[in-house]
Amino acid sequence: MAIMNSSMTFEPVLERIAEEIERTPGRGRPADYIPALAACDPRRFGMAVAEPDGTVYGVGDWRQPFSTQSLTKVFTLALDLAREGDELWEHVGREPSGNPFNSLVQLEYENGIPRNPFINAGALVVTDRLLTRTGDAAGELRAFLREESGNPDLDFDEDVAASESDHGDRNAALAHFMASYGNIDNPVPALLDQYFRQCSLLASCADLALAAGFLARHGIRADGSRLLTLSQAKQINAVMLTCGTYDAAGDFAYRVGLPGKSGVGGGIIAVVPGRCTLCVWSPGLDQRGNSVAGVAALDRFTTLTGLSVF
């Protein structure tokens, strides 16, 4: 195992990982319940690593925009937590769910309080609260990602948003159910429009590795201003580690050893606090909705570099 020292660059590691992934059979299947994602080639692969100073390395399709989906939940969480602080945690929990990401099961016996901000119910609550505070949660997210990534062209995919809306009955049910407990402030149709637009955002591995850099910098944005307190940055990283890959979080922590967040578009972002942020993309998913090649690549990254939180 090659342990990385501070003077080494990430390029040789990324190239080795890409070569290994290319030889790996069985890449899973793209998400088929969103027609706009079903046509993606499961053998596409890209990976980027961004250092705290904004230096970014990449391999494969690392500059190819893809549908971010649930990766955006990390950023909306940060944007809302920065505004309202600990009050947020009165409306959404911080515990792993143990159930699929779109499950309604726990909401009823937990009085409409979602287990964590990364399952769909929890993300709807966070988006709702950000919408109340900004008037345009999706627009706030887009502006933030454009600034942090340095990519002014980063934008929503209206076709994907429409596709999700057309197949969004489960999310609508979650939102209405939580509204019945008083845990949603805005009209459900307005909230769903914001949520589907948020999830449709297109970005590349390079964009997302750079945009997540504030989590490696302990809450500091790319321009040097502070978004989160040290404690809040720690909180988000902790919830990513325990809840970021749905009901596979334990296996992800075991294999990868980093805070991470996956999306059904095939992307995963991960954080090495103080050292770097990563984004990997490959559309083929396992049965729990995580990128098969993405998890394997992050597993190899922490093995080859020795960089993990453990």
Side-chain angles (χ1 to χ4, degrees), residues 83-106:
R83 284 168 170 78
E84 67 169 320
D86 287 347
E87 183 183 343
L88 169 64
W89 302 120
E90 298 174 12
H91 300 269
V92 62
R94 302 184 294 271
E95 296 293 335
S97 70
N99 285 308
F101 58 83
N102 58 356
S103 173
L104 288 118
V105 173
Q106 290 169 325

Side-chain angles (χ1 to χ4, degrees), residues 135-299:
D136 184 5
E140 193 76 15
L141 167 71
R142 178 175 60 185
F144 178 80
L145 291 178
R146 284 177 173 178
E147 290 171 12
E148 297 304 293
S149 68
N151 179 4
D153 298 323
L154 191 149
D155 212 342
F156 306 113
D157 185 326
E158 299 299 344
D159 290 338
V160 170
S163 179
E164 295 202 48
S165 179
D166 290 343
H167 298 81
D169 291 339
R170 177 65 65 93
N171 285 317
L174 291 167
H176 281 294
F177 193 80
M178 292 186 293
S180 76
Y181 281 93
N183 202 24
I184 295 294
D185 295 333
N186 294 281
V188 168
L191 168 59
L192 291 173
D193 178 68
Q194 290 275 312
Y195 181 71
F196 294 139
R197 283 170 61 78
Q198 167 190 319
C199 291
S200 77
L201 199 137
L202 290 170
S204 69
C205 292
D207 294 330
L208 292 163
L210 288 166
F214 69 94
L215 291 171
R217 294 187 294 266
H218 308 292
I220 302 294
R221 294 185 61 168
D223 64 3
S225 64
R226 181 168 287 282
L227 174 69
L228 302 172
T229 66
L230 289 170
S231 179
Q232 289 170 336
K234 177 194 72 175
Q235 290 169 2
I236 292 180
N237 280 326
V239 177
M240 287 173 68
L241 179 68
T242 57
C243 308
T245 47
Y246 311 121
D247 50 339
D251 186 62
F252 186 83
Y254 175 85
R255 291 184 61 186
V256 176
L258 293 175
K261 180 72 194 85
S262 62
V264 296
I268 306 174
I269 55 176
V271 182
V272 185
R275 187 64 192 271
C276 64
T277 46
L278 304 98
C279 181
V280 60
W281 171 64
S282 187
L285 309 179
D286 61 23
Q287 292 183 335
R288 291 171 167 176
N290 300 311
S291 170
V292 173
V295 174
L298 291 169
D299 182 357

